[in-house]
Amino acid sequence: MDRDRLAQALLDSFLEELEGHVVSLNRDLLALEQAPARAKELVPGILRTLHSVKGASRAASASMVENACHRMEEVLEPLIHGRAPSPDLFELCFATVDALDDAGRRLAARQDLSGSPLEALLPQLEQAAHGSPTQPPVPAPKSAPPAPALHEKPAEAEPELSFPSQASGEMLPVRVSGQKLDALLGRSGELRVAMLRLEGHAESLEALRDDVMGLRERVRGTQSETTLRRVELELARVARVLAQDRRALFQSSTGLDDEVRRARMLPFEEGCTGLERAARDVAHSLGRRVRMEVHGGGLDLDRSLLQSLREPLLHLVRNAVAHGLEAPEERVRHGKPEEGRVVLSARLRGSRVEVAVEDDGRGLDLEALRERARARDMEAPEDDEDAARLVFLPGLSTAAKVTAVSGRGVGLDVVRAQVEALRGSVEVAFKAGQGTRFTLDVPLTLSTLRVLLVSVGGQVLALASEGVDRLLRLAPSDVREVEGRMSWVTPEALVPLASLAGVLELPPGPPKSRPPAVVLSAGTAQAALVVDEVIAEQEVLVRSLGSRVKRARHVAAAAVLPDGRMALLLSPASLVRAAGGRPSAQFFPTPKEQVVRRRVVLADDSPTTRMLEQSILEGAGYDVIACADGAEAWERLQAGGADAMVMDVEMPRMDGFQVTEAVRTSPRFGRVPVVLVTSREKPEDKARGLQAGASAYIVKSAFDPTSLLETLRRLL
C-alpha cells in the first residue's frame, strides 16, 4: 500500500473510532457531573478514552486532536486526587467533546482544522491544565459548521456482525454498513413478494387442472379423453413440482428475512444515545437540574426505526425540560426535589412499539393553550383531552418568549408529522402539577406490512391492518347527521363518518343500499370511511415515495402488492383528522322496492377474516349471519335457516368438516350449499372436505373475492 492510501486508511479508522469515543466521553462526563463524589471511579475511564483518542490521532497525523486530548487529560487528572470540579470545568470539558466531534466531521470532509472550535478551545484547555481559573468556553466562530444533529447516528449504533477468529476461535466484531443491511432487507422483502406471487400461480395451475378434469368428464368415451388425460397428468406433475419449489422458497425466504432482521436489531437504549446530553444542555441554559432515565433499554428494535425516532425524541426531551420542568426554587415550593426527572420508556404491544417521554413537571396549561388558539381565530375545545392536543398544532406555543429551544411552536408539530410518516400516532396526557406524558405508537417494522386493500374512485389503496378497527356495512339507521356532519352511531359514541373518495378528492362511486366502510383508529380518535369495495388483506413490501415526492397529503408510503403492482399506503392518523371536518355526503340510493336478499351463514374464528368476508358478501347483496365458530353456525342455521354456508375448517367446538357432515345428514338442510374457505391446502384436506359433502373448497392463500362470489352465484 502506498503512503497516501495508508494515510487515508489510518484516517478512516481513526474517524470511525472517534465517533464511538465521543459517545463514551459524553456518557461518562454526564455521570461525573451528576455524582462528583465518584471521581476516583469515573475519571480513570475518561482518561483511558482520551488516551485512546490521543494515540489514534497521532497515528492519523491529527496533531490538534492529540494536543486537545492531552490538555484535557491534564485538566481531569487532579480530580482523582481530591480536587473538586467546578461548573465551568464541566462546561469546558463538554465543549471540548463537542469540538472533537466537530473536528472529526471536518476531517471526514477533508477540511483543515484551522479556525475550528477545537483550535479556539486550546488556549482555555492550556490555562485550565496549568491551574488557572477556567472561564466559560468561547463561542465557536461563525464559520464553523453546525453542531451535530442528534438524528445523526453514532458509531455505536452501527450494527455489528461477529465472525470467528481463525487463531483463537473467539468472536471478533466486524462492522457492517447500515446501508448494506437496508439493501439486503429490501432484497429479502422482494423475495417474499415473489414467493407470494408464486403461491398465486400454483393455485391458478390447480384451477386449470380442475378445468381439464371437468372437460375430460364431458368428453368421456371419445378420442379426446385420452389426450385430456395426458394433459391432466402432466399438469398434476407440474403442480407437485411447483408446490415443492414453493415450500422450499418459502422456507429460504422466511429464514433469510428473519436473519436479516435479527442483524438489524439494536437495543432501544442505543437509540437514546445523546438525549441525556441534550437534556443536560437545555437544563443548564435555563438554570435547572435534570436526571434522565431509560426504561426498557434492552428492548431490541429495528435500526431504521430507531434512527427515525431520534429526532422526535430529541424534540420531546428538549420540550420536557424547557416547558415541563419547573425552576429548582419552584419545585421546592411544591414539595418536589430540586432535580427534575425525564423518563424515556419502550415496550412492545403486539406488532407495535409504544415509546413514551414523561416528565415530573407542572403539566400542561390548558387555559394558556386555549387563549393562544383563540388569538389565532382557532377553535378552543372545552374538552380537556381535545384541548391538550392543541400542542401539536403548528405555530402554537405557550412560551413567553422565543429562545433557542422554545417559543416558535414548531417542535411538537414536527414530532406529529414525523411519527405519522412512520405510520404511527402520538398522544399527550398530563396531571396538573405532576407531569406530562407523550406516547408514540409506531409499527415494529417499517419494511413489510399487512394491509387491507380497498377500491376507491377506480384506484386500489392500502390501509395498514393494525389501524383498522373493524369493517362494516352501513344501513341508513346506522347514520346520523349532526350539525351538518355525518356520524356512525355506536352504543358508546358518534364516530365521524366520511367518504374516502371525498377525503382524497377522487371521483365518488355510485350510492349503495349497504355501502362498505372501514373504521380507522389513530390513538384514541376514530373515524369511519366509506369505500367503493373491500378487496382483500395481504402482506406487502413498503417502499418510500422517494425524495421527489416531498409531501403527499394523506399518503405515508407505497405498497408493493404480491402481483407486482403498486398501491398508495394511506396514513390512518391523517385520514381520521380529515374525516372529522367533512360535510354531509350521500351514501345511500333513493328508496326503491325492497329486493329479496339471500341469507348466508358465515363462520370463522378469526375476527379480521370474518369481517373481511362479511363485507364482501354484504357488498354483493347477501344477508350475512356472522358466527365465531362452527357450533354457533350450526345453531344459527337450525334457528333461522340459510341459502348457503361459508365456513373456515379449523374452528373451536365444531370444525368446518363436522358442520358440513351435520348439514349433509340433516333432512331439513341437506341441500344447503357449503363453501369451505380455509388455509389447509393439502390434497388430503381437500379430499376430506369434499367427502364430508362440501360444495366447494377455497384456499385462503389464493383467496379472491371474485372467486367466492362466483362460486356462490353458481351454487345458488
Side-chain angles (χ1 to χ4, degrees), residues 39 126 319 327 336 375 427 481 484 505 520 528 533 541 560 628 694 700:
E126 188 169 357
N319 184 79
K336 296 181 180 181
E427 293 289 330
E481 185 173 346
E505 299 181 0
L520 300 178
E533 288 296 340
L541 187 66
V560 183
K700 285 183 179 179

Side-chain angles (χ1 to χ4, degrees), residues 601-607 609-611 613 625-637 645-663 674-680 688 694 697 700:
V601 172
L602 168 68
D604 198 302
D605 59 335
S606 166
T609 302
R610 190 167 63 245
M611 286 191 298
E613 293 177 354
I625 308 299
C627 307
D629 57 44
E632 183 185 356
W634 175 234
E635 292 166 2
R636 298 297 293 272
L637 176 66
M645 300 187 77
V646 176
M647 291 187 298
D648 187 16
V649 169
E650 297 176 287
M651 294 183 293
R653 298 204 291 171
M654 288 181 71
D655 64 27
F657 295 147
Q658 293 170 328
V659 177
T660 303
E661 291 169 348
V663 171
V674 178
V675 180
L676 296 179
V677 182
T678 174
S679 58
R680 297 173 67 162
R688 184 182 173 190
Y697 195 102
K700 285 183 179 179

Side-chain angles (χ1 to χ4, degrees), residues 384-431:
D384 286 352
E385 287 189 10
D386 293 336
R389 294 192 186 100
L390 291 172
V391 298
F392 297 112
L393 295 180
L396 195 148
S397 174
T398 59
K401 62 180 180 179
V402 175
T403 68
V405 295
S406 65
R408 302 188 186 278
V410 297
L412 295 180
D413 174 47
V414 168
V415 169
R416 186 186 70 178
Q418 292 176 330
V419 172
E420 289 181 0
L422 299 176
R423 310 191 307 273
S425 62
V426 57
E427 293 289 330
V428 60
F430 76 100
K431 290 184 179 179

Side-chain angles (χ1 to χ4, degrees), residues 184-329:
L184 189 58
L185 183 64
R187 295 298 185 188
S188 173
E190 292 170 3
L191 182 60
R192 288 180 63 83
V193 170
M195 184 268 296
L196 292 172
R197 193 180 306 133
L198 185 60
E199 285 189 8
H201 295 331
E203 293 299 329
S204 298
L205 190 60
E206 286 283 354
L208 179 59
R209 180 191 170 197
D210 292 341
D211 290 342
V212 172
M213 186 185 304
L215 181 60
R216 183 170 61 82
E217 289 295 325
R218 288 198 291 270
V219 299
R220 183 179 295 276
T222 67
Q223 188 175 1
S224 300
E225 181 184 3
T226 304
T227 302
L228 289 175
R229 178 61 178 166
R230 286 200 301 268
V231 173
E232 182 185 339
L233 291 174
E234 180 61 18
L235 286 174
R237 186 191 67 79
V238 174
R240 285 195 302 272
V241 173
L242 185 58
Q244 293 171 355
D245 291 345
R246 184 185 60 177
R247 285 192 292 270
L249 178 60
F250 176 80
Q251 293 175 351
S252 298
S253 64
T254 302
L256 174 62
D257 193 68
D258 290 344
E259 291 299 330
V260 174
R261 290 182 190 280
R262 191 176 297 113
R264 290 167 51 88
M265 302 300 275
L266 294 169
F268 171 66
E269 62 187 356
E270 291 202 16
C272 300
T273 301
L275 293 177
E276 188 175 10
R277 171 68 193 280
R280 178 259 178 204
D281 288 348
V282 174
H284 275 241
S285 69
L286 297 174
R288 300 172 187 173
R289 295 175 56 196
V290 62
R291 180 178 79 259
M292 198 182 87
E293 300 175 6
V294 177
H295 297 171
L299 178 64
D300 285 337
L301 300 176
D302 187 273
R303 60 174 294 278
S304 60
L305 177 63
L306 285 174
Q307 277 186 277
S308 300
L309 285 174
R310 287 181 69 83
E311 192 163 350
L313 291 179
L314 170 63
H315 282 296
L316 291 176
V317 167
R318 290 163 63 93
N319 184 79
V321 178
H323 288 288
L325 300 183
E326 312 94 331
E329 59 273 13

Side-chain angles (χ1 to χ4, degrees), residues 431-675:
K431 290 184 179 179
Q434 297 183 42
T436 307
R437 177 185 177 92
F438 288 89
T439 304
L440 284 60
D441 183 78
V442 293
L444 187 58
T445 177
L446 305 180
S447 56
T448 59
L449 185 68
R450 193 147 190 89
V451 300
L452 182 72
L453 299 178
V454 298
S455 172
V456 176
Q459 297 189 31
V460 175
L461 303 170
L463 297 163
S465 295
E466 56 203 13
V468 177
D469 272 0
R470 62 178 297 182
L471 306 176
L472 53 92
R473 286 281 172 176
L474 292 172
S477 59
D478 299 329
V479 178
R480 182 177 301 170
E481 185 173 346
V482 181
E483 297 180 351
R485 297 176 182 175
M486 306 298 284
S487 297
W488 170 51
V489 182
T490 73
E492 296 82 18
L494 295 177
V495 177
L497 175 66
S499 163
L500 183 55
V503 171
L504 300 177
E505 299 181 0
L506 294 173
K512 297 181 179 180
S513 58
R514 296 290 301 276
V518 180
V519 181
L520 300 178
S521 64
T524 58
Q526 280 189 321
L529 294 166
V530 175
V531 299
D532 294 345
E533 288 296 340
V534 177
I535 300 174
E537 188 182 31
Q538 292 178 332
E539 184 178 9
V540 299
L541 187 66
V542 178
R543 284 285 181 261
S544 168
L545 294 174
S547 58
R548 294 186 180 182
V549 182
K550 295 296 184 183
R551 189 179 180 88
R553 195 161 176 254
H554 306 309
V555 177
V560 183
L561 306 183
D563 60 4
R565 293 180 299 153
M566 303 287 286
L568 292 178
L569 179 64
L570 304 181
S571 166
S574 179
L575 293 177
V576 168
R577 283 199 306 274
R582 300 297 301 179
S584 297
Q586 180 63 39
F587 301 124
F588 306 101
T590 54
K592 295 181 180 179
E593 183 180 352
Q594 182 68 29
V595 178
V596 177
R597 296 163 61 88
R598 299 272 194 170
R599 180 184 173 98
V600 176
V601 172
L602 168 68
D604 198 302
D605 59 335
S606 166
T608 302
T609 302
R610 190 167 63 245
M611 286 191 298
L612 175 61
E613 293 177 354
Q614 181 178 359
S615 178
I616 292 168
L617 293 170
E618 288 180 343
Y622 293 99
D623 186 12
V624 180
I625 308 299
C627 307
D629 57 44
E632 183 185 356
W634 175 234
E635 292 166 2
R636 298 297 293 272
L637 176 66
Q638 295 178 90
D643 295 294
M645 300 187 77
V646 176
M647 291 187 298
D648 187 16
V649 169
E650 297 176 287
M651 294 183 293
R653 298 204 291 171
M654 288 181 71
D655 64 27
F657 295 147
Q658 293 170 328
V659 177
T660 303
E661 291 169 348
V663 171
R664 289 293 169 256
T665 56
S666 167
R668 181 181 173 192
F669 303 112
R671 299 179 65 84
V672 172
V674 178
V675 180

Side-chain angles (χ1 to χ4, degrees), residues 330-404:
E330 183 181 347
R331 291 179 64 85
V332 171
R333 283 200 308 269
H334 290 91
K336 296 181 180 181
E338 288 188 3
E339 185 180 62
R341 182 167 170 260
V342 175
V343 178
L344 273 73
S345 61
R347 66 186 182 114
L348 289 180
R349 292 175 58 250
S351 62
R352 301 188 67 83
V353 183
E354 184 179 277
V355 178
V357 178
E358 186 173 5
D359 66 70
D360 65 347
R362 59 174 64 89
L364 297 179
D365 187 344
L366 294 186
E367 288 309 311
L369 284 170
R370 290 185 176 110
E371 287 179 13
R372 294 298 174 93
R374 295 188 191 102
R376 297 182 56 201
D377 296 324
M378 298 168 55
E379 183 180 354
E382 292 300 321
D383 181 79
D384 286 352
E385 287 189 10
D386 293 336
R389 294 192 186 100
L390 291 172
V391 298
F392 297 112
L393 295 180
L396 195 148
S397 174
T398 59
K401 62 180 180 179
V402 175
T403 68

